Amino acid sequence: MNLHEYQGKEILSSFGVRTQRGIVVNTPEEAVEAAKKLTEETGTGWHVIKAQIHAGGRGKGGGVKLAKNLDEVNSISNDILGMMLITPQTSAEGKLVNQVLIAEDVYYPGDSEPNEFYMSVLLNRASGKNMIMYSTEGGMDIEAVAEETPHLIFTEEVDPTTGLLPFQARKIAFNLGLSGAAFKDMTKFVTALYTAYVKSDSSLFEINPVLKTSDDKILAVDAKVSLDENALYRHKDYAEMRDLREENPIEVEAKAAGLNYVDLDGNVGCMVNGAGLAMGTMDLIKQAGGEPANFLDVGGTADAQRVETAFGIILKDPNVKAILVNIFGGIVRCDRVAQGVVDAYKSMGDKINVPIICRLQGTNAKEAKELIDNSGMEIISATEFQEAADKVQEVLQVKA
Ligand code: GDP
Ligand code: MN
């Protein structure tokens, strides 16, 4: 589950990571009030207005702007709120900005060359360890740094059983070229950041930029945080941070129905039981000359109700030209699933406007095929994997 920058910063602060101070708002009036409050608390006269969307590269897209007085806070907030912000990480139409973060300006005018670093904490699945990635080349496109000057990106692996050791924190501060007070503050920063990552059950923390101010303080100016959804049950307060407006509405509906659904760009909808078979089915569709419109794992209990919900969700995607049902009956019997498909088809009537190819294999597969073939409905049955692929190809050709 992804968070907004302001939420990520809240979590960081709660673990003692110094962050750029800010207040999230919904209107230009609130923005001005927030700016006044920040001036009282921090003494800053300048503020940055930052669009809150689930995508990075906002600066490049015009979603991060400096305001030098309250009039500018008002007008810039007015411009950014409600805009469709296009960044290198959004789709071509961009993302609607519902909220902006009014933040203190932390780049002091006297700074000829602000020191912007990059730092992230994530899991290295290959080694089974956590990993801190960091670089002196912060603020800009870290992907470009990785491509053009990979030697400027360092990694420090952290054994989860020992945690981050003091010498590792010092090594990181040293490699970033720091000394004196900034060196000390960086070791504190990294240590707190690592603790926050572990204690919040996150799968990613990415802070770009981490800033060294001219008075040698280290702080997080940006925060990209992804939480591990499987651990949300023990972080009720984080679970409430979910912003459904940022998520694909069909995926949200599928999740509520207990289905594992991922929206894709293709033309063949699929309904499969089991994630592995779902992956295999997507390959099959590609081989048949189609493109999968989705990944959908209906799980073990493919009864009529579930099948109907799944059909409904697949058909919300206007690109779907055919649906391939591919179920392996192990514990769940194929005839039960076939009955589910037939019942769902009956109750949905003309809502189903694309051909359905149904492959049921495993326990009671023969009975299932008979049920489908004798249902009098336009469901094309198949038994073998290849046969199903050929039939998908056929219907796509007829459609084309
Ligand atoms: P991103 O573009 O989505 O990664 O958003 P960031 O939060 O990283 O902000 C983009 C850029 O805005 C940063 O790299 C900074 O250069 C700049 N920026 C952020 N905060 C401040 C600030 O307080 N003052 C000034 N002058 N620039 C800032
Ligand atoms: Mn950033």
Side-chain angles (χ1 to χ4, degrees), residues 6 9 57 110 134 198 211 254 335 349 352 371 388:
Y6 80 93
K9 283 177 166 173
Y134 60 103
V198 172
L211 182 74
D335 52 332
I352 297 186
L371 234 160

Side-chain angles (χ1 to χ4, degrees), residues 295-330:
F295 167 97
L296 173 57
D297 173 10
V298 289
T301 51
D303 55 17
Q305 188 56 51
R306 244 176 129 69
V307 171
E308 187 174 335
T309 311
F311 274 142
I313 283 167
I314 293 174
L315 288 169
K316 287 220 164 114
D317 180 347
N319 297 326
V320 168
K321 300 280 175 287
I323 298 177
L324 173 58
V325 180
N326 191 8
I327 304 279
F328 180 77

Side-chain angles (χ1 to χ4, degrees), residues 20 48 50 57-59 64 104-107 116 208-209 221-222:
Q20 177 189 38
V48 243
K50 309 182 82 179
R58 295 163 302 164
V64 179
E104 59 171 328
D105 174 31
V106 284
Y107 289 59
E116 292 181 313
N208 188 24
V221 170
D222 193 4

Side-chain angles (χ1 to χ4, degrees), residues 55-254:
R58 295 163 302 164
K60 279 189 196 141
V64 179
K65 293 220 164 105
L66 184 67
K68 297 189 176 170
N69 54 53
L70 292 179
D71 281 343
E72 287 184 6
V73 169
N74 183 51
S75 63
I76 295 171
S77 305
N78 195 35
D79 291 345
I80 296 182
L81 280 164
M83 84 187 277
M84 290 298 286
L85 179 56
I86 302 169
T87 85
Q89 294 181 20
T90 65
S91 64
E93 67 258 37
K95 284 199 125 176
L96 177 66
V97 182
N98 294 302
Q99 293 173 300
V100 288
L101 180 66
I102 310 303
E104 59 171 328
D105 174 31
V106 284
Y107 289 59
Y108 305 130
D111 273 3
S112 52
E113 227 179 83
N115 270 302
E116 292 181 313
F117 307 117
Y118 170 91
M119 190 169 290
S120 59
V121 192
L122 64 162
L123 175 66
N124 181 349
R125 289 172 194 279
S127 65
K129 290 181 178 163
N130 291 315
M131 188 161 78
I132 299 176
M133 289 180 69
Y134 60 103
S135 175
T136 49
E137 309 303 295
M140 53 165 110
D141 216 349
I142 197 67
E143 286 80 9
V145 179
E147 203 148 289
E148 289 152 28
T149 48
H151 61 281
L152 294 178
I153 299 180
F154 300 93
T155 56
E156 185 68 27
E157 292 224 327
V158 183
D159 192 320
T161 53
T162 58
L164 182 72
L165 298 171
F167 86 89
Q168 294 181 296
R170 290 197 295 271
K171 185 165 131 200
I172 291 169
F174 179 81
N175 282 339
L176 289 173
L178 299 171
S179 58
F183 179 98
K184 253 181 110 173
D185 209 41
M186 180 58 87
T187 60
K188 269 178 38 196
F189 183 89
V190 177
T191 308
L193 182 68
Y194 183 80
T195 305
Y197 165 83
V198 172
K199 292 260 170 78
S200 61
D201 288 312
S202 289
S203 44
L204 171 73
F205 266 27
E206 187 180 53
I207 317 295
N208 188 24
V210 172
L211 182 74
K212 178 182 96 64
T213 63
S214 47
D215 56 355
D216 282 342
K217 289 201 176 74
I218 305 297
L219 76 165
V221 170
D222 193 4
K224 176 177 176 180
V225 172
S226 291
L227 300 171
D228 179 352
E229 291 193 25
N230 294 317
L232 276 183
Y233 71 95
R234 53 185 181 199
H235 300 285
K236 298 276 187 289
D237 46 338
Y238 298 168
E240 282 168 18
M241 291 179 172
R242 168 161 253 142
D243 186 350
L244 292 178
R245 293 174 297 190
E246 293 288 331
E247 297 183 19
N248 178 312
I250 309 181
E251 291 184 4
V252 171
E253 190 187 333

Side-chain angles (χ1 to χ4, degrees), residues 347-358:
S347 92
M348 293 184 80
D350 49 12
K351 271 189 243 147
I352 297 186
N353 51 6
V354 298
I356 294 179
I357 298 104
C358 191

